[in-house]
Amino acid sequence: MRAITIPEPGGPDVLSWSEVPDPEPGPGEVLVDVRATAVNRADLLQRQGHYPPPPGAPAYPGLECSGVVSATGPKVTDWRVGDQVCALLAGGGYAERVAVPAGQLLPVPAGVDLVDAAALPEVACTVWSNVVGVGRLVAGETLLVHGGGSGIGTFAIQLGKALGATVLATARSVKHDRLRDLGADHLIDYREQDFVEEVRKVTDGRGADVVLDIMGASYLGRNVAALAPDGRLVVIGMQGGRKGELDLGALLAKRGTVAATALRSRPLEQKAAIVKGVRDQVWPLIEAGRIRPIIDRRLPISEAPAAHHLVESNDHLGKVLLTLP
Protein backbone atom coordinates (compact mmCIF):
# COMPACT_ATOMS: atom_id res chain seq x y z
CA MET A 1 0.00 0.00 0.00
CA ARG A 2 0.96 3.66 -0.05
CA ALA A 3 1.22 6.12 2.81
CA ILE A 4 2.53 9.58 3.56
CA THR A 5 5.99 9.09 5.06
CA ILE A 6 8.38 11.55 6.72
CA PRO A 7 11.88 10.66 5.47
CA GLU A 8 13.38 13.38 7.67
CA PRO A 9 12.00 16.15 9.90
CA GLY A 10 11.29 19.42 8.14
CA GLY A 11 8.74 21.57 6.37
CA PRO A 12 5.63 20.36 4.56
CA ASP A 13 7.58 19.45 1.44
CA VAL A 14 9.34 16.54 3.18
CA LEU A 15 6.05 14.61 3.11
CA SER A 16 6.26 11.77 0.58
CA TRP A 17 3.52 9.51 -0.88
CA SER A 18 5.43 6.22 -0.78
CA GLU A 19 5.08 2.44 -0.90
CA VAL A 20 5.06 0.87 2.57
CA PRO A 21 4.21 -2.58 3.99
CA ASP A 22 0.55 -3.49 4.34
CA PRO A 23 -0.80 -3.58 7.92
CA GLU A 24 -2.38 -6.73 9.33
CA PRO A 25 -5.11 -6.62 11.99
CA GLY A 26 -4.01 -8.24 15.24
CA PRO A 27 -6.23 -9.60 18.00
CA GLY A 28 -8.97 -7.11 18.79
CA GLU A 29 -8.14 -4.99 15.73
CA VAL A 30 -9.98 -4.07 12.54
CA LEU A 31 -8.44 -3.23 9.16
CA VAL A 32 -9.94 -0.13 7.56
CA ASP A 33 -9.60 0.89 3.91
CA VAL A 34 -9.19 4.64 4.34
CA ARG A 35 -11.39 7.03 2.37
CA ALA A 36 -10.30 10.22 4.13
CA THR A 37 -8.18 11.52 6.98
CA ALA A 38 -7.85 14.95 8.58
CA VAL A 39 -4.90 17.24 9.24
CA ASN A 40 -4.32 17.98 12.92
CA ARG A 41 -1.73 20.13 14.69
CA ALA A 42 -0.13 16.96 16.03
CA ASP A 43 0.62 15.92 12.44
CA LEU A 44 2.55 19.14 11.89
CA LEU A 45 4.54 18.58 15.07
CA GLN A 46 5.27 14.99 14.07
CA ARG A 47 6.49 16.15 10.66
CA GLN A 48 8.81 18.61 12.39
CA GLY A 49 10.27 15.87 14.60
CA HIS A 50 8.67 17.15 17.83
CA TYR A 51 5.87 14.62 18.42
CA PRO A 52 6.82 11.00 17.64
CA PRO A 53 4.04 8.41 17.60
CA PRO A 54 3.60 6.31 20.73
CA PRO A 55 5.21 2.84 20.85
CA GLY A 56 3.47 0.39 18.56
CA ALA A 57 1.66 3.05 16.50
CA PRO A 58 2.26 3.38 12.75
CA ALA A 59 5.04 5.78 11.79
CA TYR A 60 2.77 7.72 9.44
CA PRO A 61 0.81 10.80 10.57
CA GLY A 62 -2.96 10.84 10.95
CA LEU A 63 -4.97 10.78 14.18
CA GLU A 64 -8.35 9.99 12.62
CA CYS A 65 -9.86 8.56 9.47
CA SER A 66 -13.02 7.33 7.84
CA GLY A 67 -13.39 4.32 5.61
CA VAL A 68 -14.72 0.81 5.17
CA VAL A 69 -13.87 -2.28 7.22
CA SER A 70 -11.98 -4.72 4.98
CA ALA A 71 -10.88 -7.34 7.54
CA THR A 72 -11.21 -8.16 11.22
CA GLY A 73 -8.71 -9.76 13.55
CA PRO A 74 -9.34 -12.43 16.18
CA LYS A 75 -11.64 -11.53 19.08
CA VAL A 76 -13.52 -8.85 17.10
CA THR A 77 -17.27 -9.39 17.34
CA ASP A 78 -18.92 -5.97 16.92
CA TRP A 79 -17.72 -5.07 13.40
CA ARG A 80 -18.12 -6.71 10.01
CA VAL A 81 -16.43 -6.42 6.64
CA GLY A 82 -18.19 -3.67 4.69
CA ASP A 83 -19.13 -1.53 7.71
CA GLN A 84 -18.68 2.20 7.13
CA VAL A 85 -16.74 3.61 10.06
CA CYS A 86 -14.62 6.44 11.36
CA ALA A 87 -11.82 5.92 13.84
CA LEU A 88 -9.66 7.53 16.49
CA LEU A 89 -6.02 6.66 15.79
CA ALA A 90 -2.64 6.89 17.50
CA GLY A 91 -1.22 7.39 14.01
CA GLY A 92 -1.37 5.96 10.51
CA GLY A 93 -4.36 7.78 9.04
CA TYR A 94 -2.36 9.17 6.10
CA ALA A 95 -2.40 5.78 4.38
CA GLU A 96 -4.51 3.57 2.16
CA ARG A 97 -5.16 1.14 5.03
CA VAL A 98 -4.80 1.22 8.80
CA ALA A 99 -5.25 -1.34 11.59
CA VAL A 100 -7.37 0.06 14.42
CA PRO A 101 -8.23 -1.29 17.89
CA ALA A 102 -11.92 -2.15 17.69
CA GLY A 103 -12.70 0.01 20.73
CA GLN A 104 -11.63 3.10 18.79
CA LEU A 105 -14.10 2.63 15.93
CA LEU A 106 -17.32 4.58 15.55
CA PRO A 107 -20.13 4.13 13.04
CA VAL A 108 -20.52 6.95 10.54
CA PRO A 109 -23.32 9.08 12.03
CA ALA A 110 -26.61 9.06 10.15
CA GLY A 111 -26.77 12.03 7.80
CA VAL A 112 -22.97 12.45 7.55
CA ASP A 113 -21.07 11.63 4.36
CA LEU A 114 -18.41 8.91 4.68
CA VAL A 115 -15.60 11.29 3.67
CA ASP A 116 -16.82 14.08 5.95
CA ALA A 117 -16.90 11.66 8.89
CA ALA A 118 -13.09 11.77 8.93
CA ALA A 119 -13.41 15.23 10.50
CA LEU A 120 -15.14 13.91 13.61
CA PRO A 121 -13.33 11.31 15.76
CA GLU A 122 -10.35 13.28 17.07
CA VAL A 123 -12.20 16.52 17.71
CA ALA A 124 -15.26 14.81 19.19
CA CYS A 125 -13.17 12.69 21.56
CA THR A 126 -10.87 15.57 22.51
CA VAL A 127 -13.64 18.11 23.10
CA TRP A 128 -16.07 15.79 24.88
CA SER A 129 -13.44 14.26 27.17
CA ASN A 130 -12.09 17.68 28.14
CA VAL A 131 -15.09 20.00 28.16
CA VAL A 132 -17.50 17.48 29.70
CA GLY A 133 -15.21 14.94 31.36
CA VAL A 134 -12.49 17.18 32.81
CA GLY A 135 -14.18 20.58 32.65
CA ARG A 136 -17.57 19.30 33.87
CA LEU A 137 -19.43 21.94 31.82
CA VAL A 138 -23.17 22.05 32.49
CA ALA A 139 -26.11 24.08 31.22
CA GLY A 140 -26.10 27.70 32.33
CA GLU A 141 -22.31 27.96 32.61
CA THR A 142 -19.92 29.95 30.43
CA LEU A 143 -17.36 28.26 28.18
CA LEU A 144 -14.37 30.14 26.71
CA VAL A 145 -12.87 28.43 23.66
CA HIS A 146 -9.46 29.53 22.42
CA GLY A 147 -8.77 29.01 18.73
CA GLY A 148 -12.45 29.07 17.83
CA GLY A 149 -11.78 28.71 14.11
CA SER A 150 -9.86 25.44 14.42
CA GLY A 151 -11.32 21.97 14.13
CA ILE A 152 -11.33 21.69 17.93
CA GLY A 153 -12.77 25.17 18.28
CA THR A 154 -15.62 24.79 15.81
CA PHE A 155 -16.65 21.53 17.46
CA ALA A 156 -16.34 22.93 21.01
CA ILE A 157 -18.55 25.91 20.14
CA GLN A 158 -21.29 23.61 18.87
CA LEU A 159 -21.03 21.17 21.77
CA GLY A 160 -21.09 23.99 24.31
CA LYS A 161 -24.28 25.40 22.79
CA ALA A 162 -25.86 21.95 22.59
CA LEU A 163 -25.20 21.54 26.31
CA GLY A 164 -26.89 24.85 27.10
CA ALA A 165 -23.79 26.93 27.88
CA THR A 166 -22.97 30.50 26.91
CA VAL A 167 -20.01 30.21 24.53
CA LEU A 168 -17.24 32.76 24.09
CA ALA A 169 -14.45 32.19 21.56
CA THR A 170 -11.21 33.82 20.48
CA ALA A 171 -10.48 34.00 16.75
CA ARG A 172 -9.40 36.43 14.06
CA SER A 173 -12.21 38.82 13.15
CA VAL A 174 -12.45 37.45 9.60
CA LYS A 175 -13.83 34.22 11.11
CA HIS A 176 -16.34 35.79 13.48
CA ASP A 177 -19.44 35.63 11.29
CA ARG A 178 -18.95 31.93 10.58
CA LEU A 179 -18.39 31.14 14.26
CA ARG A 180 -21.44 33.16 15.27
CA ASP A 181 -23.45 31.00 12.87
CA LEU A 182 -22.18 27.93 14.74
CA GLY A 183 -23.56 29.30 18.00
CA ALA A 184 -20.81 31.41 19.55
CA ASP A 185 -22.47 34.09 21.72
CA HIS A 186 -19.48 36.44 21.80
CA LEU A 187 -16.34 36.56 19.63
CA ILE A 188 -13.02 38.07 20.68
CA ASP A 189 -10.28 39.07 18.23
CA TYR A 190 -7.21 37.97 20.19
CA ARG A 191 -4.97 40.23 18.10
CA GLU A 192 -6.90 43.42 18.83
CA GLN A 193 -8.67 42.77 22.15
CA ASP A 194 -7.68 41.65 25.66
CA PHE A 195 -9.65 38.46 26.10
CA VAL A 196 -9.58 38.77 29.90
CA GLU A 197 -11.29 42.16 29.75
CA GLU A 198 -13.79 40.92 27.18
CA VAL A 199 -14.68 37.85 29.22
CA ARG A 200 -15.22 39.95 32.34
CA LYS A 201 -17.31 42.44 30.39
CA VAL A 202 -19.57 39.80 28.87
CA THR A 203 -20.00 37.91 32.17
CA ASP A 204 -20.54 41.02 34.34
CA GLY A 205 -17.15 40.48 35.96
CA ARG A 206 -17.70 36.85 36.91
CA GLY A 207 -15.49 35.11 34.34
CA ALA A 208 -15.67 31.80 32.46
CA ASP A 209 -16.58 28.58 34.24
CA VAL A 210 -14.57 26.47 31.79
CA VAL A 211 -11.67 27.56 29.58
CA LEU A 212 -10.53 25.22 26.79
CA ASP A 213 -6.99 26.30 25.94
CA ILE A 214 -4.67 25.37 23.08
CA MET A 215 -1.94 27.93 23.83
CA GLY A 216 -0.37 26.76 27.09
CA ALA A 217 2.34 28.89 28.67
CA SER A 218 1.67 32.23 26.99
CA TYR A 219 -1.98 32.24 28.10
CA LEU A 220 -1.59 30.64 31.54
CA GLY A 221 -1.75 33.75 33.72
CA ARG A 222 -4.48 35.41 31.67
CA ASN A 223 -6.55 32.24 31.60
CA VAL A 224 -6.49 32.09 35.40
CA ALA A 225 -7.49 35.76 35.47
CA ALA A 226 -10.42 34.97 33.16
CA LEU A 227 -11.74 32.13 35.33
CA ALA A 228 -14.92 32.44 37.35
CA PRO A 229 -14.99 31.30 40.99
CA ASP A 230 -14.64 27.49 41.01
CA GLY A 231 -13.60 27.73 37.35
CA ARG A 232 -11.80 24.97 35.44
CA LEU A 233 -8.92 25.64 33.02
CA VAL A 234 -8.24 22.70 30.70
CA VAL A 235 -5.03 22.91 28.66
CA ILE A 236 -4.88 20.69 25.56
CA GLY A 237 -2.14 22.39 23.53
CA MET A 238 1.16 24.25 23.82
CA GLN A 239 1.20 26.52 20.78
CA GLY A 240 2.31 29.34 23.11
CA GLY A 241 5.06 27.36 24.85
CA ARG A 242 5.62 24.71 27.51
CA LYS A 243 6.71 26.67 30.59
CA GLY A 244 4.75 29.50 32.21
CA GLU A 245 4.43 31.14 35.60
CA LEU A 246 1.37 30.24 37.69
CA ASP A 247 0.15 32.60 40.40
CA LEU A 248 -1.12 30.10 42.97
CA GLY A 249 -2.58 32.92 45.04
CA ALA A 250 -4.82 33.95 42.18
CA LEU A 251 -5.85 30.35 41.63
CA LEU A 252 -6.55 29.76 45.32
CA ALA A 253 -8.63 32.91 45.56
CA LYS A 254 -10.91 31.53 42.84
CA ARG A 255 -10.84 27.93 44.08
CA GLY A 256 -9.78 27.23 40.50
CA THR A 257 -8.52 24.09 38.84
CA VAL A 258 -5.87 23.74 36.14
CA ALA A 259 -5.76 20.45 34.24
CA ALA A 260 -3.68 19.38 31.25
CA THR A 261 -4.51 16.36 29.13
CA ALA A 262 -3.45 14.53 25.99
CA LEU A 263 -5.45 11.98 24.02
CA ARG A 264 -2.92 10.26 21.77
CA SER A 265 -0.82 8.76 24.57
CA ARG A 266 -3.71 7.41 26.67
CA PRO A 267 -3.95 3.64 27.26
CA LEU A 268 -6.25 1.71 24.94
CA GLU A 269 -8.87 1.16 27.64
CA GLN A 270 -9.13 4.90 28.32
CA LYS A 271 -9.48 5.67 24.61
CA ALA A 272 -12.16 3.00 24.28
CA ALA A 273 -14.08 4.50 27.20
CA ILE A 274 -13.89 7.97 25.64
CA VAL A 275 -15.04 6.63 22.26
CA LYS A 276 -17.98 4.90 23.93
CA GLY A 277 -18.95 8.11 25.73
CA VAL A 278 -18.80 10.03 22.46
CA ARG A 279 -20.95 7.42 20.72
CA ASP A 280 -23.51 7.50 23.52
CA GLN A 281 -23.64 11.23 24.19
CA VAL A 282 -22.31 13.11 21.15
CA TRP A 283 -23.36 10.99 18.16
CA PRO A 284 -27.08 11.59 18.89
CA LEU A 285 -26.43 15.36 18.78
CA ILE A 286 -24.74 14.97 15.38
CA GLU A 287 -27.53 12.79 14.03
CA ALA A 288 -30.08 15.35 15.24
CA GLY A 289 -28.23 18.08 13.30
CA ARG A 290 -27.22 20.03 16.43
CA ILE A 291 -23.51 19.46 15.69
CA ARG A 292 -21.99 19.02 12.26
CA PRO A 293 -18.46 18.55 10.93
CA ILE A 294 -17.01 21.86 9.78
CA ILE A 295 -14.75 21.31 6.79
CA ASP A 296 -12.67 24.04 5.21
CA ARG A 297 -11.71 21.98 2.16
CA ARG A 298 -10.89 18.52 0.86
CA LEU A 299 -7.61 17.81 -0.90
CA PRO A 300 -6.30 14.58 -2.42
CA ILE A 301 -3.78 12.92 -0.13
CA SER A 302 -1.05 13.52 -2.71
CA GLU A 303 -1.44 17.21 -1.80
CA ALA A 304 -0.64 16.65 1.87
CA PRO A 305 2.20 19.24 1.74
CA ALA A 306 -0.26 21.93 0.59
CA ALA A 307 -2.68 20.90 3.35
CA HIS A 308 0.06 21.30 5.97
CA HIS A 309 0.97 24.73 4.57
CA LEU A 310 -2.69 25.75 4.88
CA VAL A 311 -3.06 24.59 8.47
CA GLU A 312 0.19 26.29 9.46
CA SER A 313 -1.11 29.56 7.98
CA ASN A 314 -4.20 29.51 10.25
CA ASP A 315 -6.24 30.70 7.26
CA HIS A 316 -8.60 27.71 7.40
CA LEU A 317 -11.82 27.33 9.37
CA GLY A 318 -12.62 23.87 10.68
CA LYS A 319 -10.91 20.77 9.37
CA VAL A 320 -8.80 20.20 6.27
CA LEU A 321 -9.39 16.70 4.89
CA LEU A 322 -7.15 14.49 2.76
CA THR A 323 -9.10 12.12 0.54
CA LEU A 324 -8.17 8.80 -1.04
CA PRO A 325 -9.65 7.24 -4.20
Side-chain angles (χ1 to χ4, degrees):
M1 72 167 190
R2 290 176 297 176
I4 292 289
T5 61
I6 307 172
E8 60 182 5
D13 294 335
V14 304
L15 298 174
S16 175
W17 187 228
S18 307
E19 289 288 337
V20 300
D22 275 76
E24 295 289 339
E29 292 186 333
V30 170
L31 189 67
V32 175
D33 288 349
V34 178
R35 294 292 180 267
T37 186
V39 179
N40 288 284
R41 287 278 169 185
D43 304 335
L44 277 57
L45 292 172
Q46 182 173 336
R47 189 202 73 227
Q48 295 162 358
H50 302 315
Y51 194 19
Y60 329 120
L63 299 183
E64 57 193 334
C65 73
S66 61
V68 178
V69 173
S70 57
T72 59
K75 301 181 181 179
V76 174
T77 58
D78 295 337
W79 303 99
R80 300 286 184 270
V81 171
D83 286 346
Q84 293 194 349
V85 297
C86 52
L88 177 70
L89 308 172
Y94 288 28
E96 291 179 321
R97 285 176 289 281
V98 63
V100 187
Q104 292 169 217
L105 285 180
L106 288 155
V108 173
V112 176
D113 178 79
L114 176 60
V115 168
D116 291 352
L120 290 171
E122 195 272 341
V123 294
C125 290
T126 297
V127 172
W128 180 81
S129 64
N130 285 287
V131 170
V132 177
V134 179
R136 307 185 307 281
L137 183 73
V138 296
E141 291 191 320
T142 298
L143 169 67
L144 171 62
V145 177
H146 287 302
S150 66
I152 291 288
T154 54
F155 196 94
I157 289 169
Q158 295 180 86
L159 180 63
K161 289 306 296 182
L163 295 174
T166 297
V167 179
L168 287 57
T170 61
R172 287 186 285 178
S173 58
V174 68
K175 302 180 181 182
H176 285 191
D177 287 344
R178 292 280 306 280
L179 300 183
R180 196 171 288 110
D181 290 342
L182 294 180
D185 296 288
H186 187 80
L187 280 305
I188 303 164
D189 187 336
Y190 60 88
R191 298 179 304 175
E192 306 291 337
Q193 297 172 290
D194 181 335
F195 73 79
V196 178
E197 291 183 2
E198 291 299 312
V199 169
R200 288 174 174 167
K201 184 188 306 180
V202 172
T203 61
D204 295 325
R206 185 174 183 279
D209 298 287
V210 178
V211 177
L212 185 64
D213 178 53
I214 59 171
M215 296 303 295
S218 63
Y219 274 21
L220 181 58
R222 286 187 287 165
N223 277 331
V224 171
L227 282 179
D230 299 304
R232 290 83 72 193
L233 166 61
V234 186
V235 181
I236 61 170
M238 299 181 293
Q239 293 182 35
R242 297 166 57 97
K243 297 181 180 180
E245 185 171 303
L246 177 61
D247 184 343
L248 289 174
L251 193 64
L252 283 166
K254 294 187 174 186
R255 303 178 301 278
T257 302
V258 178
T261 76
L263 182 59
R264 188 182 197 185
S265 59
R266 286 178 182 263
L268 292 181
E269 59 271 17
Q270 290 188 18
K271 290 183 182 178
I274 290 171
V275 168
K276 183 180 185 305
V278 166
R279 182 171 181 173
D280 292 344
Q281 298 188 31
V282 180
W283 251 224
L285 297 172
I286 295 172
E287 294 182 338
R290 299 179 66 187
I291 298 176
R292 56 190 173 89
I294 305 303
I295 297 165
D296 184 273
R297 68 193 69 184
R298 303 162 186 80
L299 297 171
I301 198 164
S302 59
E303 296 184 25
H308 276 224
H309 277 294
L310 175 61
V311 173
E312 286 182 334
S313 75
N314 287 321
D315 288 336
H316 64 298
L317 191 142
K319 300 300 282 277
V320 176
L321 299 186
L322 299 173
T323 61
L324 288 89

